[in-house]
Amino acid sequence: CSLRRTSWKGGTVSCETQAAMFALRPRTLVFGRPEQAARGVAHYMCVGDEELRKGMILRLQAIREEVARNGTEVDKECLAYVLDMEAGSSDKAFQGGLKRDCDEDGCVLPSRLTAEGRGMR
């Protein structure tokens, strides 16, 4: 674990707890009822199988295109930050006035830093 402890308003989480939070394998996660899951992803995305497959082939480019086509200015800015910018490099405030990937003092969270001390990309 690269973090000794992660803190948030409610307290701190140890490395052991962090590891346990993500210990489940995807096949053990179940969301919704089986009859709903059987409908598949395309049903809930309201797209046909062909469009879904095209998106799966294009991957990230499909997401960029969809947000460029249908997203709000905030959506576009958020996607650019997540995909193209260093953690903590944006002055935009969200989450009750906090800068993204930063603590209350505006310092980049240790969990969002690389081993060299720069914001993750």
Side-chain angles (χ1 to χ4, degrees), residues 29-91:
L29 297 175
V30 177
F31 297 98
R33 297 187 312 245
E35 61 271 14
Q36 292 172 330
R39 292 181 182 148
V41 174
H43 171 79
Y44 290 101
M45 292 178 64
C46 300
V47 299
D49 287 337
E50 185 177 323
E51 187 174 349
L52 180 61
R53 278 193 291 279
K54 178 183 174 192
M56 292 169 72
I57 291 167
L58 293 175
R59 302 172 64 157
L60 191 53
Q61 185 59 35
I63 295 170
R64 287 183 189 270
E65 289 173 5
E66 181 176 345
V67 171
R69 192 172 50 250
N70 301 314
T72 66
E73 289 307 310
V74 172
D75 295 335
K76 294 171 186 176
E77 192 278 333
C78 286
L79 183 65
Y81 175 76
V82 169
L83 297 179
D84 304 322
M85 297 174 68
E86 192 173 284
S89 64
S90 172
D91 288 330

Side-chain angles (χ1 to χ4, degrees), residues 23-30:
L24 293 175
R25 298 197 185 281
R27 69 174 177 260
T28 63
L29 297 175
V30 177

